[in-house]
Amino acid sequence: DAGVIQSPRHEVTEMGQEVTLRCKPISGHDYLFWYRQTMMRGLELLIYFNNNVPIDDSGMPEDRFSAKMPNASFSTLKIQPSEPRDSAVYFCASSFGRNTGELFFGEGSRLTVL
Amino acid sequence: TQLLEQSPQFLSIQEGENLTVYCNSSSVFSSLQWYRQEPGEGPVLLVTVVTGGEVKKLKRLTFQFGDARKDSSLHITAAQPGDTGLYLCAGVENSGYALNFGKGTSLLVTP
């Protein structure tokens, strides 16, 4: 079975541009999580969904960040406008059954904002 | 403030040595998980501990959950270069709903 699939793997953009990161969770998983990883702050939870419904978005840093999950097999994380401090690796993860179960992570999207 | 504090932050040892890394918090957790992350990849689950005082073994890795469910340790016996990676602990507070991660311990095992 395919794991969690994220795209793009790498994105370099200029400050002020819109960035859209995409995630396809493992089929059958009912929880989806977006994390951001930096050296300074480690892995930070941004938002998570249960059955496509956002449950907790308290980790979303600002209104510039938004996330959607239009169906069980697709989610997006959008940053508009992007800033250099948004540079990080963004991970999508999914799990089944409960939000404390094993998380299956994608390979991440490395974002660089110049 | 980091909910889960991991130590040491970095560790460089030679093949064959033993090591212990720690994960501490002032909060009580319903469960703790340990993940390993290799460069360019996402974290992968190693183990979940749920009972205070629980000890779990995974080959040369031994995981312990503190009696009060506030801390955990990972001990590696006879480390090998393949153990190199970032070791992350993650937990859900008793009053919480989602996994919070520590910053991790970056381990380098040289031949």
Side-chain angles (χ1 to χ4, degrees):
Chain A
D1 285 341
V4 175
I5 300 173
Q6 291 187 245
S7 64
R9 287 296 312 276
H10 302 275
E11 173 99 7
V12 180
T13 190
E14 293 189 343
M15 183 172 64
Q17 296 298 305
E18 178 179 295
V19 173
T20 299
L21 307 178
R22 297 172 178 80
C23 175
K24 176 178 168 57
I26 292 173
S27 177
H29 282 189
D30 54 352
Y31 283 88
L32 183 139
F33 304 81
W34 282 100
Y35 284 88
R36 176 171 70 175
Q37 187 175 39
T38 61
M39 285 289 293
M40 288 293 294
R41 301 174 69 88
L43 260 174
E44 301 174 277
L45 178 64
L46 300 177
I47 184 171
Y48 77 94
F49 297 81
N50 177 219
N51 291 323
N52 313 338
V53 176
I55 303 300
D56 184 357
D57 66 354
S58 60
M60 295 286 262
E62 300 170 31
D63 291 345
R64 298 184 296 106
F65 286 69
S66 62
K68 294 182 180 180
M69 192 166 185
N71 57 63
S73 59
F74 184 66
S75 177
T76 60
L77 177 67
K78 186 174 293 187
I79 308 172
Q80 166 62 19
S82 58
E83 296 183 4
R85 60 192 167 124
D86 301 330
S87 297
V89 182
Y90 290 81
F91 285 100
C92 175
S94 68
S95 69
F96 173 72
R98 59 190 178 97
N99 62 346
T100 57
E102 176 179 3
L103 292 191
F104 292 82
F105 283 82
E107 293 183 311
S109 294
R110 180 175 292 277
L111 173 65
T112 302
V113 183
L114 303 174
Chain B
T1 303
Q2 200 76 16
L3 184 65
L4 287 161
E5 297 288 343
Q6 291 192 244
S7 62
Q9 189 176 355
F10 300 99
L11 189 56
S12 180
I13 61 172
Q14 289 195 316
E15 183 175 3
E17 293 184 25
N18 302 331
L19 67 116
T20 302
V21 298
Y22 300 92
C23 174
N24 294 292
S25 177
S26 57
S27 298
V28 177
F29 292 92
S30 57
S31 66
L32 266 179
Q33 298 180 346
W34 285 91
Y35 288 77
R36 181 169 67 206
Q37 183 179 18
E38 299 188 17
E41 299 183 7
V44 175
L45 181 69
L46 295 173
V47 76
T48 300
V49 286
V50 296
T51 305
E54 181 176 4
V55 177
K56 279 192 173 179
K57 292 194 174 183
L58 186 65
K59 297 182 180 178
R60 295 176 293 100
L61 278 60
T62 302
F63 304 85
Q64 185 162 6
F65 200 10
D67 291 341
R69 292 187 289 128
K70 292 183 178 181
D71 56 86
S72 182
S73 64
L74 159 59
H75 181 80
I76 301 179
T77 303
Q80 299 178 359
D83 296 326
T84 293
L86 179 67
Y87 288 82
L88 296 156
C89 68
V92 179
E93 289 182 276
N94 272 346
S95 59
Y97 297 94
L99 271 176
N100 289 284
F101 282 80
K103 287 187 179 181
T105 293
S106 181
L107 172 66
L108 174 64
V109 183
T110 54

